[in-house]
Amino acid sequence: MIAHLGMYDWPEFRSGLTAFWRLLERELDVPLPDLVHDVPLPPVWRDPDLSIGWCCGWNVAVEEIGAAAPFARPLWDMPGHGPGTYHSLIVCRDEDAVRPLEEFLSAPVINGPDSWSGCHVFNRWLAGRGLALHNPKVSGGHRASLAALRGGAARVAAIDAVCWRLADRLGETAGLTVIGETDDYASTPFLLGPALQDRAEEAFAAFSRALKQPEAQEWVEAIGITGILPAAPKDYAPMLPR
């Protein structure tokens, strides 16, 4: 079986993530393989051999997860998040924070055109201000977008608040300022593959138990997850174009 539980799979936090993975394996009593890293993600989520995965809500909204189904979504221990929701932060360089957004919006960076938290919600936030993205630099990831801001290759980005938390713990937000927050949307869903979907309630309970185990606390503290709520495709429908 294929397993992917690395939505925020940064190398510096991978040991804690792996420890949580093994707890989940024990609590669910299902043999799970090692985490997959650095692979094209939509094919993983659509693989009929997927056991458990973690994806962007946008992938659920636009039906890119094949026969997988969302069963849970995180509760975050972070300011400003409603239960089971998350948002992105609009970030720029410190020296730009005192300027009108229009002066530096000409140099945006996104993590990818298929990302909710780094692209689509950014466009929605801008549209509410009568603005839009034009020819953004594509970084490939939120962490790379932050590096582009720090290095001067870009001047504004939308950064997933969980990635901002991780980057801040690593000292990678120095010289950057948060100038806005997007609206809240349903947080990044955990998926069950076809073989485990008849065990959704059991998987939810196992996941909840694993989060409370002492061995999980390194990962729990790092990313700020405190629990889970049920998730269904309808939770992500608000992400679709209006």
Side-chain angles (χ1 to χ4, degrees):
M1 299 179 79
I2 296 173
H4 172 265
L5 196 60
M7 188 69 186
Y8 302 102
D9 184 17
W10 293 23
E12 293 87 349
F13 304 103
R14 194 166 287 169
S15 63
L17 176 61
T18 301
F20 176 78
W21 184 253
R22 293 305 167 211
L23 283 169
L24 184 59
E25 181 179 47
R26 184 181 75 198
E27 293 292 340
L28 190 54
D29 193 25
V30 170
L32 300 174
D34 292 336
L35 288 174
V36 293
H37 304 288
D38 305 320
V39 296
L41 291 178
V44 170
W45 300 323
R46 291 193 295 264
D47 195 305
D49 289 330
L50 178 73
S51 53
I52 295 179
W54 196 1
C55 73
C56 176
W58 177 254
N59 303 110
V60 174
V62 297
E63 301 180 348
E64 289 184 337
I65 59 171
F71 78 101
R73 53 190 169 123
L75 290 163
W76 298 112
D77 179 23
M78 285 180 276
H81 289 273
T85 71
Y86 81 134
H87 58 254
S88 291
L89 306 174
I90 310 303
V91 179
C92 70
R93 294 169 59 83
D94 287 348
E95 56 264 36
D96 283 330
V98 297
R99 300 185 175 101
L101 176 59
E102 293 85 345
E103 289 188 11
F104 54 92
L105 185 57
S106 60
V109 60
I110 61 173
N111 56 335
D114 60 344
S115 169
W116 173 256
S117 57
C119 180
H120 298 295
V121 78
F122 193 8
N123 257 322
R124 195 168 287 191
W125 184 86
L126 288 169
R129 289 153 180 78
L131 301 169
L133 285 173
H134 295 289
N135 300 316
K137 177 183 177 67
V138 178
S139 70
H142 283 293
R143 194 175 189 180
S145 292
L146 290 171
L149 293 177
R150 292 194 311 272
R155 296 176 68 180
V156 64
I159 303 295
D160 177 321
V162 181
C163 290
W164 178 264
R165 175 190 176 100
L166 296 178
D168 193 54
R169 290 173 69 92
L170 296 174
E172 296 179 4
T173 62
L176 305 179
T177 297
V178 175
I179 59 170
E181 297 180 356
T182 70
D183 291 338
D184 280 357
Y185 290 87
S187 53
T188 49
F190 298 107
L191 307 174
L192 287 180
L196 291 182
Q197 285 174 23
D198 61 347
R199 299 179 61 188
E201 290 187 10
E202 186 181 351
F204 189 94
F207 206 108
S208 297
R209 290 194 303 270
L211 285 172
K212 297 174 183 177
Q213 299 302 317
E215 303 98 306
Q217 297 317 298
E218 177 187 346
W219 182 63
V220 165
E221 181 183 351
I223 70 168
I225 185 172
T226 62
I228 53 175
L229 289 178
K234 64 180 177 59
D235 298 320
Y236 301 92
M239 293 180 175
L240 293 171
R242 296 166 178 169

Coordinates of all heavy atoms in Angstrom, one line a residue, residues 169-222:
R169 N 9.9 29.0 13.0 CA 10.7 28.2 13.9 C 12.1 28.0 13.5 O 13.0 27.8 14.3 CB 10.0 26.9 14.1 CG 8.7 27.0 14.9 CD 8.0 25.6 14.9 NE 8.7 24.6 15.7 CZ 8.5 24.4 17.0 NH1 7.5 25.1 17.7 NH2 9.1 23.5 17.7
L170 N 12.3 28.1 12.2 CA 13.7 27.9 11.6 C 14.4 29.2 11.3 O 15.5 29.2 10.7 CB 13.5 27.1 10.3 CG 13.0 25.7 10.4 CD1 12.8 25.0 9.0 CD2 13.9 24.8 11.3
G171 N 13.8 30.3 11.7 CA 14.4 31.6 11.5 C 14.4 32.1 10.0 O 15.2 32.9 9.6
E172 N 13.4 31.6 9.3 CA 13.4 31.9 7.8 C 12.3 33.0 7.5 O 12.0 33.2 6.3 CB 13.1 30.6 7.0 CG 14.2 29.6 7.1 CD 14.0 28.3 6.3 OE1 13.0 28.3 5.6 OE2 14.8 27.4 6.4
T173 N 11.8 33.7 8.5 CA 10.9 34.8 8.3 C 11.5 36.1 8.6 O 10.9 37.1 8.5 CB 9.6 34.6 9.1 OG1 10.0 34.6 10.5 CG2 8.9 33.3 8.8
A174 N 12.8 36.1 9.0 CA 13.5 37.4 9.3 C 13.5 38.3 8.0 O 13.7 37.8 6.9 CB 14.9 37.1 9.7
G175 N 13.2 39.6 8.3 CA 13.2 40.5 7.2 C 11.8 40.6 6.4 O 11.7 41.3 5.4
L176 N 10.9 39.8 6.9 CA 9.6 39.7 6.2 C 8.5 40.1 7.1 O 8.6 40.0 8.4 CB 9.3 38.3 5.7 CG 10.4 37.7 4.8 CD1 10.0 36.2 4.4 CD2 10.6 38.5 3.6
T177 N 7.4 40.7 6.6 CA 6.3 41.2 7.4 C 5.0 40.7 6.8 O 4.8 40.7 5.6 CB 6.3 42.8 7.3 OG1 7.5 43.3 7.9 CG2 5.1 43.4 8.0
V178 N 4.1 40.4 7.7 CA 2.7 40.0 7.3 C 1.9 41.2 7.2 O 1.8 42.0 8.2 CB 2.1 39.0 8.4 CG1 0.6 38.7 8.0 CG2 2.9 37.7 8.5
I179 N 1.3 41.4 6.0 CA 0.5 42.7 5.8 C -1.0 42.4 5.6 O -1.8 43.3 5.5 CB 1.0 43.4 4.6 CG1 1.0 42.6 3.3 CG2 2.4 44.0 4.8 CD1 1.2 43.3 2.0
G180 N -1.4 41.1 5.7 CA -2.8 40.8 5.6 C -3.0 39.3 5.8 O -2.1 38.5 5.8
E181 N -4.3 38.9 5.9 CA -4.7 37.5 6.0 C -5.9 37.3 5.1 O -6.7 38.1 5.0 CB -5.1 37.2 7.5 CG -4.0 37.3 8.5 CD -4.5 37.0 9.9 OE1 -5.7 36.7 10.1 OE2 -3.6 37.0 10.8
T182 N -5.9 36.1 4.5 CA -7.0 35.8 3.7 C -8.2 35.3 4.5 O -8.0 35.1 5.7 CB -6.6 34.6 2.7 OG1 -6.4 33.4 3.4 CG2 -5.4 35.0 1.9
D183 N -9.3 35.1 3.9 CA -10.4 34.4 4.6 C -10.1 33.0 5.0 O -9.2 32.4 4.4 CB -11.7 34.4 3.8 CG -12.3 35.8 3.5 OD1 -12.0 36.7 4.4 OD2 -13.0 36.0 2.6
D184 N -10.8 32.5 6.0 CA -10.6 31.1 6.4 C -11.4 30.1 5.4 O -12.5 30.5 5.0 CB -11.2 30.9 7.8 CG -10.2 31.3 8.9 OD1 -9.1 31.8 8.6 OD2 -10.6 31.2 10.1
Y185 N -10.8 29.0 5.2 CA -11.4 27.9 4.4 C -11.1 26.6 5.1 O -10.2 26.6 6.0 CB -10.9 27.9 3.0 CG -11.4 29.1 2.2 CD1 -10.7 30.3 2.2 CD2 -12.6 29.0 1.5 CE1 -11.1 31.4 1.5 CE2 -13.0 30.1 0.7 CZ -12.3 31.3 0.8 OH -12.8 32.4 0.1
A186 N -11.8 25.6 4.8 CA -11.6 24.3 5.4 C -10.1 23.8 5.3 O -9.5 24.0 4.2 CB -12.5 23.2 4.8
S187 N -9.6 23.4 6.4 CA -8.1 23.1 6.4 C -7.8 21.8 5.6 O -8.7 21.0 5.3 CB -7.6 23.0 7.9 OG -8.4 22.0 8.6
T188 N -6.5 21.7 5.3 CA -6.0 20.6 4.4 C -6.4 19.2 4.8 O -6.1 18.8 5.9 CB -4.5 20.7 4.4 OG1 -4.0 20.7 5.8 CG2 -4.0 22.0 3.7
P189 N -7.1 18.5 4.0 CA -7.8 17.2 4.4 C -6.9 16.0 4.4 O -6.0 15.9 3.5 CB -8.9 17.1 3.3 CG -8.3 17.7 2.1 CD -7.5 18.9 2.6
F190 N -7.1 15.1 5.3 CA -6.6 13.8 5.3 C -7.5 12.9 4.5 O -8.7 13.0 4.5 CB -6.4 13.3 6.7 CG -5.5 14.1 7.6 CD1 -6.0 14.9 8.6 CD2 -4.1 14.1 7.4 CE1 -5.2 15.7 9.4 CE2 -3.3 14.8 8.2 CZ -3.8 15.6 9.2
L191 N -6.8 12.0 3.7 CA -7.6 11.1 2.8 C -7.5 9.7 3.2 O -6.5 9.2 3.8 CB -7.0 11.3 1.4 CG -6.8 12.7 0.8 CD1 -6.1 12.6 -0.5 CD2 -8.2 13.3 0.6
L192 N -8.5 8.9 2.8 CA -8.4 7.5 2.9 C -8.5 6.9 1.5 O -9.4 7.4 0.7 CB -9.6 6.9 3.7 CG -9.5 7.1 5.3 CD1 -10.7 6.4 5.9 CD2 -8.2 6.5 5.8
G193 N -7.6 6.0 1.2 CA -7.7 5.3 -0.1 C -8.9 4.3 -0.1 O -9.5 4.0 0.9
P194 N -9.2 3.8 -1.3 CA -10.3 2.9 -1.5 C -10.4 1.7 -0.5 O -11.4 1.3 0.0 CB -10.2 2.4 -2.9 CG -9.4 3.4 -3.6 CD -8.4 4.0 -2.6
A195 N -9.2 1.1 -0.2 CA -9.2 -0.1 0.7 C -9.6 0.2 2.1 O -9.9 -0.7 2.9 CB -7.8 -0.8 0.6
L196 N -9.4 1.4 2.6 CA -9.7 1.8 4.0 C -11.0 2.6 4.2 O -11.3 2.9 5.3 CB -8.5 2.5 4.6 CG -7.2 1.8 4.8 CD1 -6.2 2.7 5.4 CD2 -7.5 0.6 5.7
Q197 N -11.7 2.9 3.1 CA -12.8 3.8 3.3 C -14.0 3.2 4.1 O -14.8 3.9 4.7 CB -13.3 4.3 1.9 CG -12.4 5.3 1.3 CD -12.7 5.7 -0.1 OE1 -13.9 5.6 -0.5 NE2 -11.8 6.2 -0.8
D198 N -14.1 1.9 4.2 CA -15.1 1.3 5.0 C -14.7 1.3 6.5 O -15.4 0.8 7.4 CB -15.4 -0.2 4.6 CG -14.2 -1.1 4.7 OD1 -13.1 -0.6 4.8 OD2 -14.4 -2.3 4.6
R199 N -13.5 1.8 6.8 CA -13.0 1.9 8.1 C -12.8 3.4 8.5 O -12.0 3.7 9.4 CB -11.7 1.2 8.3 CG -11.8 -0.3 8.0 CD -10.4 -1.0 8.2 NE -9.9 -0.9 9.5 CZ -8.7 -1.3 9.9 NH1 -7.9 -1.8 9.0 NH2 -8.3 -1.1 11.2
A200 N -13.6 4.3 8.0 CA -13.4 5.7 8.2 C -13.5 6.1 9.7 O -12.7 6.9 10.2 CB -14.4 6.5 7.3
E201 N -14.5 5.6 10.3 CA -14.7 5.9 11.7 C -13.6 5.4 12.6 O -13.1 6.1 13.5 CB -16.0 5.4 12.3 CG -17.3 6.1 11.7 CD -18.5 5.6 12.3 OE1 -18.5 4.9 13.4 OE2 -19.6 6.0 11.8
E202 N -13.1 4.2 12.3 CA -12.0 3.6 13.0 C -10.7 4.4 12.7 O -9.9 4.7 13.6 CB -11.8 2.2 12.5 CG -10.8 1.4 13.3 CD -10.6 0.0 12.8 OE1 -11.5 -0.4 11.9 OE2 -9.7 -0.7 13.2
A203 N -10.5 4.9 11.5 CA -9.3 5.7 11.1 C -9.4 7.0 11.9 O -8.3 7.5 12.3 CB -9.3 5.9 9.6
F204 N -10.5 7.6 11.9 CA -10.7 8.9 12.6 C -10.3 8.7 14.1 O -9.5 9.5 14.7 CB -12.1 9.4 12.5 CG -12.3 10.8 13.0 CD1 -12.2 11.9 12.1 CD2 -12.6 11.0 14.3 CE1 -12.4 13.2 12.6 CE2 -12.7 12.3 14.8 CZ -12.7 13.4 13.9
A205 N -10.8 7.7 14.7 CA -10.5 7.4 16.2 C -9.0 7.1 16.4 O -8.4 7.6 17.3 CB -11.3 6.3 16.7
A206 N -8.4 6.3 15.4 CA -7.0 6.0 15.6 C -6.1 7.2 15.4 O -5.1 7.4 16.1 CB -6.6 5.0 14.5
F207 N -6.5 8.1 14.5 CA -5.8 9.3 14.2 C -5.8 10.2 15.5 O -4.8 10.8 15.9 CB -6.3 10.1 13.0 CG -5.4 11.0 12.3 CD1 -4.9 10.6 11.1 CD2 -5.0 12.2 12.9 CE1 -4.0 11.5 10.4 CE2 -4.1 13.0 12.2 CZ -3.6 12.6 11.0
S208 N -7.0 10.3 16.1 CA -7.2 11.1 17.3 C -6.3 10.6 18.4 O -5.7 11.4 19.2 CB -8.6 11.2 17.7 OG -9.4 11.8 16.7
R209 N -6.3 9.3 18.6 CA -5.5 8.7 19.7 C -4.0 8.9 19.4 O -3.3 9.2 20.4 CB -5.8 7.2 19.8 CG -7.1 6.8 20.3 CD -7.2 5.3 20.7 NE -6.9 4.4 19.6 CZ -7.7 4.0 18.7 NH1 -9.0 4.3 18.8 NH2 -7.4 3.1 17.7
A210 N -3.6 8.8 18.2 CA -2.2 8.9 17.9 C -1.7 10.3 18.2 O -0.6 10.5 18.7 CB -1.9 8.6 16.4
L211 N -2.5 11.3 17.9 CA -2.1 12.7 18.2 C -1.9 13.0 19.7 O -1.1 13.9 20.0 CB -3.2 13.7 17.7 CG -3.4 13.9 16.2 CD1 -4.6 14.7 15.9 CD2 -2.1 14.6 15.6
K212 N -2.5 12.2 20.5 CA -2.3 12.4 22.0 C -1.2 11.7 22.6 O -0.9 11.9 23.8 CB -3.6 12.0 22.7 CG -4.8 12.8 22.3 CD -6.1 12.3 22.9 CE -7.3 13.1 22.4 NZ -8.6 12.5 22.9
Q213 N -0.5 10.8 21.8 CA 0.6 10.0 22.4 C 1.8 10.9 22.6 O 2.1 11.8 21.8 CB 0.9 8.8 21.5 CG -0.3 7.9 21.3 CD -0.8 7.3 22.5 OE1 0.0 6.9 23.4 NE2 -2.1 7.2 22.7
P214 N 2.6 10.6 23.7 CA 3.8 11.3 23.9 C 4.8 11.4 22.7 O 5.4 12.4 22.5 CB 4.4 10.6 25.1 CG 3.3 10.0 25.8 CD 2.3 9.6 24.7
E215 N 4.9 10.2 22.0 CA 5.8 10.2 20.9 C 5.4 11.1 19.7 O 6.2 11.4 18.9 CB 5.9 8.7 20.3 CG 6.3 7.7 21.3 CD 5.1 7.0 21.9 OE1 4.2 7.6 22.4 OE2 5.1 5.7 21.8
A216 N 4.2 11.6 19.7 CA 3.7 12.4 18.7 C 3.9 13.9 18.9 O 3.8 14.7 18.0 CB 2.2 12.2 18.4
Q217 N 4.3 14.2 20.2 CA 4.3 15.6 20.6 C 5.3 16.5 19.8 O 5.1 17.7 19.7 CB 4.5 15.8 22.1 CG 3.3 15.1 22.9 CD 2.0 15.4 22.2 OE1 1.6 16.6 22.2 NE2 1.2 14.4 21.8
E218 N 6.4 15.9 19.4 CA 7.4 16.7 18.6 C 6.8 17.3 17.4 O 6.9 18.4 17.0 CB 8.6 15.8 18.3 CG 9.6 16.6 17.4 CD 10.8 15.7 16.9 OE1 10.9 14.5 17.4 OE2 11.5 16.1 16.0
W219 N 6.0 16.4 16.7 CA 5.4 16.8 15.4 C 4.2 17.7 15.7 O 4.0 18.7 15.1 CB 4.9 15.5 14.7 CG 4.3 15.8 13.3 CD1 4.9 16.4 12.3 CD2 3.0 15.5 13.0 NE1 4.0 16.5 11.2 CE2 2.8 16.0 11.6 CE3 1.9 14.9 13.6 CZ2 1.6 15.8 10.9 CZ3 0.7 14.8 12.9 CH2 0.6 15.2 11.6
V220 N 3.4 17.3 16.7 CA 2.2 18.1 17.1 C 2.6 19.6 17.4 O 2.0 20.5 16.9 CB 1.5 17.5 18.3 CG1 0.5 18.4 18.9 CG2 0.8 16.2 17.8
E221 N 3.7 19.7 18.2 CA 4.1 21.1 18.6 C 4.7 21.8 17.4 O 4.4 23.0 17.2 CB 5.1 21.0 19.7 CG 5.6 22.3 20.2 CD 6.7 22.3 21.2 OE1 7.0 21.1 21.7 OE2 7.3 23.3 21.5
A222 N 5.4 21.1 16.5 CA 6.1 21.8 15.4 C 5.0 22.4 14.5 O 5.2 23.6 14.1 CB 7.0 20.8 14.7

